[in-house]
Amino acid sequence: MVELAKGVNLHVFPSTKFKTISIKMYFKTKLTADNITNRSMIARLLETNSEEFPTQTAFQKALSALYGASFSADVSRAGQLHQVVLTLNIVNDKYLSVDNVTTNAMMFLKSILRRPNAQHGQFHPETFQREMTNLREDLESLSDDKQSYAYQQLKELYFDDSAQGMSIEGSLEALDNLSNEDVLRSFASMLSSDEIDIFVLGDITERKVINLCNDFDFQDREPIVGEVFYHNENDELRREEEVQAISQAKLNMAYDTGVYYQTDDYIAGQVFNGLFGGFPHSKLFMNVREKESLAYYASSQMDNFRGVMYVRAGIDQAQTDHVIDLINEQLEAIAAGDFSEEAVVQTKEMIKNGLRQSDDNPSTIIKREHALNLVGQDLTLADWLAKVDAVEAKDIQRIARQVQLRSIYVLKGE
């Protein structure tokens, strides 16, 4: 890691494995209910146009001139952090007849950040209104996909902090009160105050990357203080049901796991989740879906920056309570050691295969390294694989015993 300025860190991963150079810039700040919608708009505006490239056509032509480079701006959440993530992928100069693509690509990024399509204290009005409309339509469409809607309602029910339960895209209520000037002020604050991590992966020297990134002229800012993980305080079971005109009920459940990224229980938690509902040979899939035919789909997923596991299933609403009981029976079975060594081996191999495959994707490698950086750890692929192999049956049982059901949300038919 190289500190370009206080609170601005560069991470370079030289690799001859890929013919591309991948760049990700993470702008991080504390997650609040007030900043989610603002920053979602920032990401949309940044990937649309800029002062130098004021139309979408000009913007895409600039990327084409970089030999088909791809650029995106997204938002994400990691525990108590909100992140605006800029991603730029380019072909390495070494495989072209020119030697300035990387330099021009960094100039493109700098132009987007330093010269947005804004003047007189606001973003370009037409661009702003168009992206406001797009975001509104995206937020409204969440209710059209009933499983996505039910999943979102579960999170709002589970989390005590409204910011944690909110969609990462924001809320319609906040959008109604959002002004062009508000978003530009948020963008200026992001540039001057957010902690920044820049990741560069490819066949390139650290010195060249440092020289290119110094040209951004980022100023000192205060690093984020406090733990990245979010710990929900709720210790009571909450249940909510809603009726809509649907034919298949959506059952969503949230469990407090006490398992957090790269803490002592993390890898054992991944094996537990694989056995419980993460893979096609899991207990939820084999027993709830296949054997009992009580679910059209059933799976589990862990969020290890917030210590929660979600279970989602499409069911016959007449069987709701029976399915809930059966899902919890699968948890109790794992806690009691009711699983085969063969299933454990199969789960470990699937996790390890996923890790190996992720090592063939530059974007996934950077995401993994960024997550490790958030918790101050450094692991090689070999370290990960060894940790998976080291998980024992008693570790899996221990995780199952500490997992506690906290919220149930059911979207039912009329």
Side-chain angles (χ1 to χ4, degrees), residues 6 11-12 26 42 46 50 132 151 182 211-212 226 240 243 292 296 304 315 386 398 411:
K6 185 179 179 182
H11 313 259
V12 183
Y26 290 84
I42 290 171
L46 290 181
S50 67
M132 282 276 284
Y151 182 41
D182 289 337
N211 291 337
L212 292 172
E240 187 174 301
V243 176
E292 298 292 336
Y296 304 100
N304 295 116
I315 63 173
R398 184 182 70 255
L411 181 63

Side-chain angles (χ1 to χ4, degrees), residues 40 44 47 130-145 148 167 169-172 175:
S40 184
R44 288 167 178 263
E47 71 173 4
R130 182 174 66 246
E131 293 309 314
M132 282 276 284
T133 299
N134 290 340
L135 178 54
R136 182 178 301 281
E137 290 175 352
D138 287 345
L139 290 171
E140 289 174 344
S141 70
L142 290 175
S143 61
D144 296 334
D145 182 333
S148 296
S167 164
E169 292 289 345
S171 71
L172 288 169
L175 194 65

Side-chain angles (χ1 to χ4, degrees), residues 284-295:
L284 291 187
F285 189 91
M286 297 302 297
N287 294 334
V288 179
R289 182 183 184 277
E290 296 294 304
K291 184 178 178 181
E292 298 292 336
S293 298
L294 288 173

